[in-house]
């Protein structure tokens, strides 16, 4: 992978993480997900969310 492609991939992953990890509560609200089941909560913890 050349340097330019690597930079683009890194930028995309950083932005993706910003939206779907750090802004998870807002993201879930926008998708209509309001309350995690116990299983969802356990899975979130396993994934480090």
């Amino acid at each position: 992978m050349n340097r330019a492609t690597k930079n683009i991939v890194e930028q995309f992953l950083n932005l993706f993480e910003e939206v779907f990890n750090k802004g998870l509560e807002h993201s879930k609200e926008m998708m209509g997900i309001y309350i995690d089941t116990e299983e969802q909560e356990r899975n979130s913890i396993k994934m480090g969310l």
Side-chain angles (χ1 to χ4, degrees), residues 7-42:
N7 287 338
I8 291 169
V9 170
E10 286 177 3
Q11 183 179 14
F12 171 79
L13 292 174
N14 288 333
L15 293 171
F16 185 89
E17 181 179 24
E18 183 72 29
V19 171
F20 289 102
N21 187 15
K22 296 176 183 172
L24 182 60
E25 289 306 314
H26 178 73
S27 299
K28 287 167 54 175
E29 245 180 64
M30 295 295 102
M31 292 184 275
I33 302 169
Y34 296 103
I35 299 173
D36 285 348
T37 64
E38 288 181 23
E39 181 181 6
Q40 289 170 325
E41 191 170 327
R42 282 192 306 271

